[in-house]
Amino acid sequence: MAPRTVLITGCSSGIGLALAVRLATDSQGRFKVLATMRDLSCRGPLEEAAGSALGQTLEIGQLDVCDEGSITRCLDKLPGQYVDILVSNAGIGLIGPLESLSLDDMRQVMDTNFFGLVQLVRALMPAMKRQRRGHIVVISSIMGLQGIMFNDIYAASKFAVEGFCESLLVQALRFNISVTLVEPGPVTSEFEGKLYSGVEQVDCVGTDPETADIFTRIYLPNSRVLFASLSQSPEDVAEHTLKVICARRPPFRHQTNPAYTPMLALKRADPSGELAGAAFYSLVFRHGPLLRASLHAVRLCRWKARKLRKALRLLGLS
């Protein structure tokens, strides 16, 4: 069977880089990867990670999802503008009190995370429809299902992504095209590193002192503990994405981190939203020390589990 062509966006770092390398170095040779990024001057880490796969099963291309001309130029290099699998991964984040965020920054998040996806799908769907096959994989977020305080605009962009894909699904199935939303929680990558390093320099101009205090004294410390306790590596998310790509019947939604199952269960249990809202309020404002202690305990358990798995591998038992 000929290798399936895969177009991945946002491959200069993080999940995109890890997935591009994972698919291009597949031991069964099932994929030929076009790994794209907005700025080709950032290609160094991908080239180094790809190794001998570069120029063989992995090619690097320029693609800015916010630029329709860039999308056209990229797709014109593909036979019939067709790929078997699109992985829409390019995205940016935005954190902070709403009053301190600029409208330009908000628009950039929506342009990249939502309209960038829409433009890509609109450009690739005609060829997939003609072939009556294809797979659209979107790296969404757990925040496309549950909003988180001070992530208002980022969550809004991911909610938009989820609604777009859910609406697209039935039409896509008619043409034998699969749609999958991969929904990670926090991921330890350059994406998050840049985001939080920028946040620590925010002076909360435009917001009131109480909100600024909640952001700096409660939200940021809790976020750091949460990342340290529950975050996944880009390689872990890449493995999850590989599984849905190779599934005989790809799922529509796939959450990569089971730690978030209870959070989503609250929302499903009470469609009014009151239960989830009250639970999050209590955790943040009434039981902060308990939340941090629980996250530290989870971190310790995960560390011990990793040590156990490593020991089993060394003994040849896993």
Side-chain angles (χ1 to χ4, degrees):
M1 181 181 293
R4 289 191 285 172
T5 57
V6 187
L7 171 63
I8 309 174
T9 64
C11 293
S12 61
S13 64
I15 296 171
L17 187 154
L19 181 61
V21 172
R22 179 65 182 86
L23 297 183
T25 57
D26 177 58
S27 60
Q28 300 178 52
R30 292 172 291 181
F31 309 103
K32 188 166 181 60
V33 178
L34 175 56
T36 69
M37 60 190 70
R38 182 179 59 83
D39 184 357
L40 286 178
S41 68
C42 299
R43 62 192 292 165
L46 176 56
E47 289 180 331
E48 182 178 353
S52 61
L54 186 64
Q56 301 297 317
T57 54
L58 185 143
E59 300 288 343
I60 299 176
Q62 194 278 334
L63 196 159
D64 180 353
V65 297
C66 296
D67 182 346
E68 197 166 3
S70 174
I71 293 172
T72 300
R73 287 189 296 273
C74 180
L75 298 190
D76 281 345
K77 298 175 184 177
L78 300 167
Q81 293 192 326
Y82 175 77
V83 292
D84 296 291
I85 302 162
L86 164 67
V87 182
S88 176
N89 166 73
I92 57 174
L94 187 64
I95 296 174
L98 185 63
E99 304 95 318
S100 67
L101 305 176
S102 74
L103 281 174
D104 284 343
D105 286 343
M106 296 181 198
R107 290 189 180 103
Q108 186 179 12
V109 170
M110 295 302 296
D111 282 346
T112 303
N113 297 359
F114 176 62
F115 286 110
L117 165 66
V118 172
Q119 289 195 132
L120 270 174
V121 171
R122 186 175 66 171
L124 282 166
M125 275 285 277
M128 287 187 174
K129 286 180 176 180
R130 287 194 298 271
Q131 297 287 340
R132 301 195 82 85
R133 69 176 188 273
H135 192 177
I136 297 168
V137 180
V138 181
I139 307 300
S140 181
S141 168
I142 206 72
M143 276 192 271
L145 300 172
Q146 173 65 59
I148 302 294
M149 183 172 64
F150 295 119
N151 286 265
D152 320 87
I153 304 306
Y154 179 76
S157 73
K158 293 300 184 178
F159 266 74
V161 164
E162 296 269 335
F164 171 72
C165 291
E166 195 168 281
S167 300
L168 185 70
L169 176 64
V170 174
Q171 178 199 156
L173 289 174
R174 178 67 176 177
F175 291 90
N176 196 37
I177 300 168
S178 300
V179 179
T180 298
L181 287 156
V182 176
E183 298 159 335
V187 178
T188 305
S189 70
E190 187 177 329
F191 176 96
E192 279 76 12
K194 286 181 178 178
L195 184 60
Y196 278 93
S197 64
V199 163
E200 290 171 355
Q201 300 168 18
V202 170
D203 55 13
C204 297
V205 170
T207 194
D208 59 277
E210 184 176 358
T211 300
D213 181 65
I214 293 169
F215 178 64
T216 56
R217 187 176 57 84
I218 297 177
Y219 172 79
L220 286 178
N222 283 342
S223 291
R224 282 191 282 270
V225 174
L226 185 139
F227 261 83
S229 304
L230 299 180
S231 64
Q232 295 175 276
S233 68
E235 291 74 21
D236 189 15
V237 178
E239 288 295 331
H240 278 269
T241 307
L242 174 64
K243 289 178 182 177
V244 302
I245 286 173
C246 295
R248 189 172 65 87
R249 286 190 173 182
F252 175 58
R253 283 192 171 94
H254 178 82
Q255 281 112 49
T256 68
N257 194 329
Y260 285 85
T261 302
M263 180 179 81
L264 299 176
L266 284 176
K267 191 167 184 177
R268 294 192 186 103
D270 177 20
S272 76
E274 293 183 15
L275 181 60
F280 279 107
Y281 183 89
S282 294
L283 280 173
V284 171
F285 294 112
R286 295 176 182 164
H287 305 297
L290 175 61
L291 171 63
R292 288 188 290 275
S294 300
L295 289 172
H296 282 301
V298 169
R299 185 181 184 184
L300 178 61
C301 290
R302 293 181 76 190
W303 178 80
K304 288 183 175 180
R306 285 194 295 269
K307 288 289 187 182
L308 177 59
R309 286 195 296 269
K310 184 177 180 180
L312 289 173
R313 282 195 298 269
L314 289 173
L315 294 171
L317 299 175
S318 176

